[in-house]
Amino acid sequence: MEKIIGKKRKRVDAGYKIKGTAKYAEDFYAPNMLYMKFKRSPYAHALIEEIDYSEALKLKGVEAVITGKDLPVKYGILPVTQDETALAIDKVRYVGEPVVALCAETEEIAIKAIDLIKVKYKELDSVLSIEEAFEKENVRVHESEKFKGNAHRVIHLEFGDVESAFKECDYVREDIFFYSGNAHLPMEPHSVLAVPEENKLTIYVSHQAPYYLHQILSKALSIPQKNIRIVVPYVGGGFGGKLDPFPEIVCAGKLALITGKPVKCTLEREEVFYNHRGRHPALMWIKTGLKEGRIKAIHFKSFLDGGAYGSFGVACSYYQGALQTTTYKIPNYKVQVVRFYTNKPPCGPKRGHGTPQPRFALECHFDKIAEDLNLKPHEFRLKNLTDSNFVTINYLKITSSGLKECIEKVIKESEFEKKHGKLPYGEGIGFAIGAYLSGAALPIYWNEMPHSEVVIKADRSGIISVYSGHTEIGQGSDTMLSYIVAEVLGINPEDVKLILRDTDTVPPDLGSYSSRVTYMVGNAAFEAANKLKNVLIKTASELLEEKEDELIFENYKIKTKKGDKEIELVEVIRKAIEREGPLVFTGKYKPPPILGKYKGAGVGPSPAYSFTACVIQVKVDTDTGIVKPQKVWIAHDIGRCINRKNVEGQIEGSVYMGLCEALTEKTEYTKKGLLKDTGFLDYKTLTIKEMPDINVYLIETHDKGGPFGAKEVGQGPLLPVIPALCNAVYDAIGIRFDEIPITPDKVLDAIERNKKRIGPEKIIDFKFPPPIKVEVPENVKT
Amino acid sequence: MLKLKEFEFFSPYTCEELFSLIKKYPEAKIIAGGTDLIPKIKRGQIEPNYVISILYIKEFDFIKIEENEIRIGALKKLRELEKNEEIKKIKGLHIALKSVATPIIRNSATIGGNLLQDTRCKFYDKSKFWREALGYCLKKGDAECRVAPGSNRCFAVFCSDIAPILIALDSEVVLIDSDLKEQRIKLEEIYRDDGINHINLNGKILKEIIIPREKFFLTYKKLRIRDTIDFPEAGVAVVVKKESINIAISGISSSIFYLKEKISGSDFNLQINKLIEEVYNSIKPMDNLYFPPLYRKKVVRNFLVKAFKEFNESEIF
């Protein structure tokens, strides 16, 4: 069957990355380059009274200094939240916020010069938590006309009628959960080089979405898009942390324009923590009503700690309530969400984008419900699963679904039923499921244009080139693209020439976010490659005097299926060029229109959903309280696996990230808003020594809309890991941890004090406006 | 990138050269592998104008296995020690050696450097920007202690993995002075319970470590959230010799906490239980590392219980 798709082959960028020849943003240099550094705010909330950089300018080698007034235009990644400037204007809103940017001949001079800048502040009271943001209404991070206090976004949606539904239930349960904030930790810090040329500012930057950045930079710098060029090399990890238009990108551009010289800035690790845009801390409440073991209604509330600016926060807020319905049939559903501004580095999109928190709450809540009902955790899930080809109550169209097979696979392979509730004290096993989008159905800037465009070219030397604007952030997107084109045309993926991610030369792709690249870029590439294939097959059929459907592409030749005739691919290409002209074809992809029409309906829809089930076995060290994962079984409905090794790596990486979020990671701040852990030694993540064996199972449901049937794998597998871990800890020591991370000191304390549950006791008493009531879809009405 | 400040760097080959440089630049910092000093210079915690490397002084780099003692030069790299066959036989020491940082760091780090490392504190081991935003502290910046406001002493923590083991083993050190005279003292004597002046060398250089070879039970238990890279949040060394019980703990004070008792002879387990309670009540970790202080105390107690359980099961005496 397929020669390349689904096989274990190396990535097309493996050689470059291992040998160190792969270029990342920091590797770009230019003659006369200047180095940029920031002066950052030491206060969480303060008025800027005076900035004196005269001493800095006197230092030999310092070329230019800018402050907020040099970049007054407000911008933001989402059209609905344009609340940022590159440098603080009038006041600072978090410790670490950039206030002054300067550039100098060397990094050492820039560092010295920063110390010579004097900024006078008037300290203000700050809000550093959800509770404080809510209670201290008069301490305003932003002045927003829409809501009192620090509420940035308020959501209240109701599908069906939950109150009436609860009345008909024979079982109702409510729980409260807390999910800590955390960071992305890409190995490569943010880096940018801005090079000014005649009429063109070229930005070499480590970024996930160059085409969005292109638009926003134009606004922030007040120069037309045609005079800006964005080039993105390999990106050393993003995880959502490189999607925003960061201050260093805007400032490097501005300083380059002012000085006429290239300006470079690579952030230190501590500065990456200040850029942040990481996981929103979430305080959540959930209430579920059942009748005869079937879900009748769910009411969900989430309070988010958004940090000082909006970032993707509004989208994250809608995602809090959007995807619960993809795994469970919920006939009545109410969602209430508030995102608060606080005086901390802004939160934004991190792998999962607003879905890990509610999924953690849901799966732990359901584990408790299953126990109440005397059902095994998976039995309760199986009674309430969604199906394939199903429209959810919030208008999400599920196409293919292998959720049931994923559940059955991990339950079987882990011998779950033999172990659950039966292992010796200190050992336990837990289960959870999850689902995720294969790309958001709507772009960030609403329009009807394709989300991905790909150009393919075959030239007379036989070289197949593919032009695509997608970003390779380590997820293997270059490889996915090469594999698809290579499979269609019968060549090796390594020989697909890639011309990539340059806003001047290459057609756009919206970016690496919401797990859209395989599905959308893959489809666009598939379309383009097939257009080329059709022209070549037509030419070959004439040359070989065979019917088109008798011919196959294999190993740089076009041959008959019987094997009796063949012709070199390059010959066919040359002949086709003679007959048709240049062989240049385009492919595009735009998701089908969304079904929902209510406000907020744009967040959640996707052309396809992936599904994951996970079982984790743990051992708790009762001397130290350290939870040690022993083994993980994880089954993922990927639709179709394109590169087996890469996919398994993605799933293992998700398990790693999930275990870190569940066990060690937290972004915490002192009473004055200083980030407590500013580097990898202090901010704890697991290492290879803590990682358990991971058994990966791929369930292939061959989604009709995906390229070769493929769906996503970059974010979905993360989701069930955290709740599965928490459920395993309960099975091991009989203590429910309704807040994460489950740190050793909490475990030891809970064991010693015979606690049954560790978690938040209450949510906040926020007064929501009346809900937007949404008419339920036809198929759900019954 | 964090950049080193500029300093003058010297690299003497002999003790004489070394001491003449120290005399000329009394505020100079001594560097061996640099795994402790360099990050602190990069973060602006230590700002030397002169740095003297002792890496090339050959007299300090040796390991001699003698009948009654093992003698190790202060410059011996931790990684070389952990691979030494005689050292491997001292299981607890081998475990402690392998638990320090990571293999790559241990390639450069020396045993002398580990024993003389700077004290640590979450308010101190931070960038200059962060400490300036905090308002500095007693150890650096002439301000108030951030862990114990109003305190007149610094509580930064001593976090060596090797020191508690060596102290529990009754090890000695050889110090050498500017007249090249050698002095042999117990290792615990070079430590002082003060976060700023925790090392008491009186201008001498640490030359050699001497571990007595005898029959003993030794175990080392290290509290940290992951199985590599981190410093001990409590590093518990327990040694039982024919006639004595030695307990030494790092990561909970500015020096090494230790308790040495003769085995009373009557009820061993009763003595152990009393000892464990005494340790638990005596140690006073502060809230300046990663884990809360009370948790670290509890884990120390649990580690001690487990250590003595292992001793009883070993039936070594």
Side-chain angles (χ1 to χ4, degrees):
Chain A
M1 261 220 69
E2 276 118 7
K3 291 257 154 35
I4 294 158
I5 300 294
K7 300 287 185 290
K8 271 190 178 183
R9 285 179 72 110
K10 66 176 195 223
R11 295 162 60 121
V12 300
D13 54 4
Y16 309 121
K17 289 183 173 173
I18 291 172
K19 289 179 205 166
T21 51
K23 270 193 130 119
Y24 295 86
E26 159 72 19
D27 296 318
F28 286 86
Y29 281 80
N32 294 321
M33 193 170 76
L34 302 171
Y35 294 82
M36 185 181 91
K37 288 281 171 201
F38 283 122
K39 181 111 186 142
R40 294 177 180 271
S41 166
Y43 292 106
H45 200 197
L47 297 173
I48 302 172
E49 289 189 330
E50 192 191 319
I51 303 175
D52 177 8
Y53 53 76
S54 53
E55 289 302 310
L57 270 177
K58 287 191 198 143
L59 195 65
K60 184 167 182 291
V62 173
E63 289 254 351
V65 185
I66 51 172
T67 64
K69 59 172 173 50
D70 295 300
L71 287 162
V73 178
K74 280 192 174 172
Y75 58 84
I77 183 71
L78 293 182
V80 294
T81 316
Q82 304 274 295
D83 63 354
E84 291 185 63
T85 49
L87 296 167
I89 298 178
D90 295 336
K91 73 170 187 174
V92 289
R93 296 181 170 86
Y94 64 95
V95 175
E97 180 168 11
V99 176
V100 185
L102 64 73
C103 55
E105 275 167 23
T106 69
E107 228 180 320
E108 285 85 348
I109 295 174
I111 293 171
K112 263 206 196 109
I114 288 291
D115 269 345
L116 296 173
I117 298 178
K118 297 185 206 9
V119 186
K120 236 204 247 151
Y121 296 96
K122 175 158 182 259
E123 200 177 352
L124 301 169
D125 194 7
S126 59
V127 289
L128 295 172
S129 68
I130 294 163
E131 289 80 1
E132 276 189 9
F134 171 63
E135 282 154 22
K136 288 156 115 180
E137 260 178 19
N138 297 324
V139 178
R140 297 290 296 274
V141 182
H142 288 269
E143 290 65 44
S144 153
E145 328 73 43
K146 238 183 158 187
F147 302 108
K148 296 191 306 171
N150 289 301
H152 166 216
R153 180 52 79 121
V154 176
I155 298 168
H156 192 177
L157 289 166
E158 183 163 10
F159 307 85
D161 184 343
V162 290
E163 287 317 312
S164 312
F166 277 131
K167 293 200 179 79
E168 297 172 26
C169 294
D170 53 37
Y171 168 95
V172 174
R173 188 190 169 108
E174 47 183 277
D175 285 298
I176 302 179
F177 297 92
F178 180 72
Y179 199 110
S180 268
N182 51 57
H184 317 80
L185 315 175
M187 253 202 281
E188 180 209 17
H190 299 70
S191 183
V192 60
L193 172 67
V195 183
E197 288 149 329
E198 193 68 35
N199 282 327
K200 181 69 66 77
L201 175 67
T202 303
I203 308 277
Y204 300 89
V205 60
S206 177
H207 205 266
Q208 294 175 231
Y211 294 88
Y212 285 131
L213 182 62
H214 196 198
Q215 293 179 67
I216 298 169
L217 263 189
S218 166
K219 180 175 188 194
L221 295 172
S222 303
I223 58 180
Q225 273 188 260
K226 65 178 168 66
N227 296 119
I228 300 177
R229 174 187 179 202
I230 312 249
V231 177
V232 176
Y234 288 116
V235 175
F239 309 108
K242 291 180 180 167
L243 276 169
D244 281 71
F246 290 104
E248 69 274 3
I249 306 173
V250 180
C251 290
K254 184 70 178 174
L255 284 169
L257 291 170
I258 290 175
T259 60
K261 293 182 179 174
V263 174
K264 183 194 236 326
C265 180
T266 298
L267 295 190
E268 293 158 25
R269 181 55 56 178
E270 181 173 345
E271 295 181 289
V272 175
F273 279 103
Y274 297 137
N275 261 1
H276 199 42
R277 319 286 155 142
R279 182 81 68 218
H280 285 72
L283 178 64
M284 301 170 283
W285 171 90
I286 181 169
K287 178 176 172 187
T288 299
L290 308 175
K291 187 167 178 167
E292 286 157 24
R294 278 254 153 86
I295 300 169
K296 282 234 77 162
I298 292 187
H299 184 179
F300 177 71
K301 293 188 200 180
S302 177
F303 302 95
L304 298 178
D305 182 341
Y309 293 99
S311 180
F312 278 85
V314 170
C316 292
S317 305
Y318 278 102
Y319 274 120
Q320 290 290 298
L323 297 192
Q324 285 86 323
T325 57
T326 53
T327 50
Y328 304 113
K329 286 183 177 156
I330 305 173
N332 296 283
Y333 189 44
K334 192 181 232 223
V335 174
Q336 292 174 285
V337 182
V338 186
R339 181 185 194 266
F340 287 102
Y341 279 126
T342 54
N343 291 112
K344 295 187 278 189
C347 294
K350 181 189 170 184
R351 202 177 197 172
H353 201 345
T355 61
Q357 304 97 323
R359 180 55 62 178
F360 155 73
L362 186 66
E363 295 297 312
C364 291
H365 174 65
F366 276 15
D367 201 63
K368 299 186 200 193
I369 290 179
E371 192 184 33
D372 284 347
L373 298 179
N374 243 320
L375 287 172
K376 286 270 160 212
H378 54 288
E379 288 170 349
F380 174 64
R381 301 324 199 271
L382 290 167
K383 270 180 157 227
N384 288 283
L385 285 189
T386 49
D387 306 307
S388 53
N389 299 312
F390 177 81
V391 176
T392 69
I393 196 172
N394 54 340
Y395 293 84
L396 308 182
K397 172 82 199 282
I398 295 171
T399 54
S400 58
S401 170
L403 181 52
K404 185 155 173 285
E405 291 93 313
C406 288
I407 294 173
E408 287 167 349
K409 186 71 175 173
V410 293
I411 294 295
K412 172 163 172 273
E413 295 294 330
S414 63
E415 297 188 300
F416 187 83
E417 303 202 5
K418 257 208 225 146
K419 297 174 182 173
H420 188 245
K422 302 186 178 111
L423 293 171
Y425 178 80
E427 290 180 49
I429 197 165
F431 164 79
I433 65 175
Y436 198 70
L437 327 153
S438 298
L442 290 186
I444 292 175
Y445 292 86
W446 290 6
N447 57 63
E448 292 299 320
M449 293 187 283
H451 294 208
S452 298
E453 297 173 20
V454 167
V455 170
I456 194 168
K457 175 172 77 102
D459 77 22
R460 56 190 74 180
S461 63
I463 295 175
I464 309 289
S465 309
V466 177
Y467 297 71
S468 174
H470 72 277
T471 47
E472 166 62 79
I473 61 171
Q475 85 279 52
S477 52
D478 284 2
T479 303
M480 174 276 303
L481 181 65
S482 308
Y483 277 31
I484 286 177
V485 170
E487 183 71 60
V488 170
L489 298 171
I491 61 176
N492 285 332
E494 293 76 25
D495 288 334
V496 175
K497 192 175 176 67
L498 299 173
I499 298 111
L500 300 165
R501 33 199 175 259
D502 178 336
T503 56
D504 260 14
T505 58
V506 157
D509 171 68
L510 295 185
S512 292
Y513 69 97
S514 74
S515 284
R516 49 179 298 288
V517 179
T518 293
Y519 204 93
M520 301 200 193
V521 177
N523 269 326
F526 187 75
E527 182 180 77
N530 275 294
K531 283 184 188 171
L532 172 62
K533 180 182 186 181
N534 290 339
V535 168
L536 294 177
I537 233 183
K538 179 161 165 271
T539 308
S541 122
E542 287 161 20
L543 293 172
L544 292 176
E545 292 173 339
E546 284 286 342
K547 282 218 192 69
E548 282 184 25
D549 52 16
E550 287 301 313
L551 299 174
I552 54 171
F553 284 63
E554 191 182 285
N555 209 11
Y556 300 83
K557 299 194 216 301
I558 300 178
K559 39 171 97 153
T560 53
K561 285 184 187 154
K562 304 192 285 262
D564 58 333
K565 290 187 204 169
E566 68 176 40
I567 181 170
E568 293 287 331
L569 182 65
V570 60
E571 260 201 72
V572 181
I573 290 174
R574 293 165 73 90
K575 276 279 178 263
I577 292 175
E578 283 179 3
R579 294 173 189 200
E580 315 274 345
L583 297 179
V584 182
F585 301 96
T586 61
K588 64 186 185 311
Y589 182 81
K590 191 172 83 162
I594 66 171
L595 300 176
K597 308 261 179 290
Y598 57 94
K599 179 171 184 195
V603 172
S606 174
Y609 296 87
S610 72
F611 298 91
T612 322
C614 179
V615 168
I616 301 183
Q617 190 167 334
V618 301
K619 197 166 186 185
V620 179
D621 181 332
T622 46
D623 282 337
T624 59
I626 293 176
V627 175
K628 299 182 181 201
Q630 304 289 292
K631 226 171 176 178
V632 175
W633 298 261
I634 182 161
H636 182 73
D637 167 15
I638 191 174
R640 185 73 201 280
C641 162
I642 296 202
N643 176 340
R644 191 152 295 265
K645 236 179 161 37
N646 196 48
V647 163
E648 287 171 2
Q650 275 284 46
I651 294 175
E652 289 170 5
S654 284
V655 170
Y656 167 77
M657 193 173 261
L659 292 176
C660 289
E661 295 200 22
L663 292 174
T664 60
E665 287 194 46
K666 49 187 158 81
T667 40
E668 280 190 337
Y669 299 81
T670 68
K671 284 199 282 282
K672 297 289 226 109
L674 259 77
L675 179 64
K676 283 185 177 175
D677 303 314
T678 56
F680 280 124
L681 190 57
D682 307 329
Y683 182 88
K684 307 292 185 189
T685 54
L686 300 179
T687 69
I688 189 115
K689 295 197 88 181
E690 287 76 47
M691 286 304 287
D693 282 336
I694 305 173
N695 300 294
V696 173
Y697 308 103
L698 296 177
I699 307 292
E700 290 184 312
T701 49
H702 302 271
D703 190 83
K704 292 211 174 62
F708 289 99
K711 297 191 285 190
E712 75 87 45
V713 72
Q715 298 184 75
L718 171 68
L719 302 175
V721 175
I722 298 109
L725 188 290
C726 295
N727 293 335
V729 171
Y730 174 69
D731 191 51
I733 55 175
I735 302 172
R736 286 282 180 198
F737 283 88
D738 290 344
E739 63 183 28
I740 54 118
I742 304 178
T743 52
D745 51 301
K746 279 192 196 164
V747 174
L748 200 66
D749 186 61
I751 293 176
E752 287 197 353
R753 296 200 290 147
N754 273 319
K755 293 287 226 176
K756 290 281 157 244
R757 172 199 179 250
I758 301 291
E761 295 296 328
K762 57 182 163 66
I763 55 173
I764 58 176
D765 189 22
F766 186 88
K767 295 282 174 286
F768 284 87
I772 295 174
K773 285 189 179 283
V774 183
E775 184 79 15
V776 305
E778 273 308 316
N779 69 316
V780 177
K781 268 200 171 117
T782 44
Chain B
M1 266 242 266
L2 292 180
K3 296 277 180 179
L4 284 178
K5 88 177 266 281
E6 282 181 18
F7 50 75
E8 239 187 290
F9 181 75
F10 306 95
S11 204
Y13 285 92
T14 65
C15 273
E16 288 89 349
E17 271 184 79
L18 170 64
F19 281 108
S20 99
L21 281 165
I22 291 173
K23 188 163 179 209
K24 192 164 177 209
Y25 307 106
E27 354 73 86
K29 278 293 187 188
I30 309 286
I31 190 173
T35 56
D36 191 38
L37 186 62
I38 297 292
K40 296 197 173 196
I41 301 179
K42 283 194 166 182
R43 282 192 222 106
Q45 297 167 260
I46 296 177
E47 297 172 280
N49 292 318
Y50 306 98
V51 174
I52 305 171
S53 169
I54 53 170
L55 262 185
Y56 296 103
I57 301 182
K58 290 208 170 63
E59 298 106 274
F60 294 163
D61 188 355
F62 60 88
I63 175 163
K64 294 194 190 110
I65 315 291
E66 291 168 9
E67 199 186 324
N68 292 323
E69 47 195 29
I70 299 177
R71 307 174 71 112
I72 308 171
L75 279 186
K76 242 309 149 246
K77 304 273 166 48
L78 293 180
R79 192 93 163 115
E80 286 174 51
L81 279 174
E82 87 190 45
K83 293 186 169 181
N84 181 285
E85 289 308 318
E86 277 307 311
I87 301 289
K88 276 191 191 169
K89 291 180 190 164
I90 311 175
K91 272 227 190 76
L93 177 56
H94 187 237
I95 290 172
L97 281 165
K98 285 193 75 154
S99 79
V100 176
T102 66
I104 293 178
I105 293 173
R106 297 201 295 275
N107 280 336
S108 301
T110 61
I111 185 166
N114 188 281
L115 295 176
L116 298 177
Q117 64 181 260
D118 196 4
T119 49
R120 307 187 62 79
C121 170
K122 65 185 182 189
F123 296 104
Y124 168 68
D125 290 298
K126 288 284 199 290
S127 69
K128 183 153 176 287
F129 164 74
W130 197 97
R131 286 179 289 114
E132 190 177 335
L134 178 77
Y136 296 109
C137 74
L138 203 62
K139 187 168 164 86
K140 175 76 180 173
D142 225 4
E144 198 174 43
C145 171
R146 297 298 161 185
V147 149
S151 150
N152 56 2
R153 62 152 286 190
C154 170
F155 286 98
V157 189
F158 188 59
C159 296
S160 162
D161 288 299
I162 308 303
I165 297 245
L166 295 181
I167 288 176
L169 287 173
D170 295 312
S171 308
E172 292 174 298
V173 290
V174 174
L175 307 180
I176 186 166
D177 68 15
S178 51
D179 297 321
L180 304 187
K181 266 215 324 282
E182 295 191 0
Q183 182 196 14
R184 183 165 156 159
I185 54 171
K186 276 276 166 66
L187 173 57
E188 52 261 40
E189 291 180 50
I190 72 169
Y191 295 121
R192 209 193 265 130
D193 190 16
D194 178 75
I196 297 174
N197 296 309
H198 62 294
I199 303 287
N200 182 19
L201 285 179
N202 275 326
K204 305 195 179 111
I205 296 287
L206 172 66
K207 175 179 177 243
E208 186 178 341
I209 294 104
I210 303 172
I211 309 174
R213 291 182 82 187
E214 38 184 334
K215 193 165 181 204
F216 52 72
F217 167 85
L218 161 67
T219 185
Y220 180 65
K221 299 200 182 306
K222 178 171 180 172
L223 171 63
R224 52 182 177 177
I225 199 166
R226 46 203 176 171
D227 206 9
T228 181
I229 194 92
D230 289 325
F231 286 86
E233 299 261 331
V236 179
V238 172
V239 167
V240 184
K241 297 190 179 183
K242 193 139 187 281
E243 291 168 1
S244 63
I245 305 164
N246 296 347
I247 297 169
I249 308 174
S250 68
I252 47 112
S253 73
S254 300
S255 66
I256 298 291
F257 172 90
Y258 67 91
L259 208 55
K260 296 184 180 182
E261 258 188 29
K262 284 225 159 329
I263 295 184
S264 67
S266 42
D267 191 338
F268 181 73
N269 287 326
L270 189 63
Q271 180 178 19
I272 295 302
N273 290 337
K274 278 180 82 183
L275 210 59
I276 294 176
E277 272 318 295
E278 190 183 337
V279 171
Y280 182 81
N281 291 326
S282 307
I283 57 176
K284 289 177 172 43
M286 304 290 282
D287 191 9
N288 55 354
L289 291 184
Y290 179 74
F291 284 127
L294 184 59
Y295 168 72
R296 282 150 63 206
K297 280 181 69 129
K298 289 183 183 170
V299 175
V300 165
R301 181 168 55 192
N302 292 345
F303 278 174
L304 288 171
V305 168
K306 197 170 206 153
F308 286 108
K309 183 162 175 270
E310 285 168 16
F311 167 72
N312 284 331
E313 284 165 5
S314 75
E315 298 187 343
I316 193 167
F317 290 116

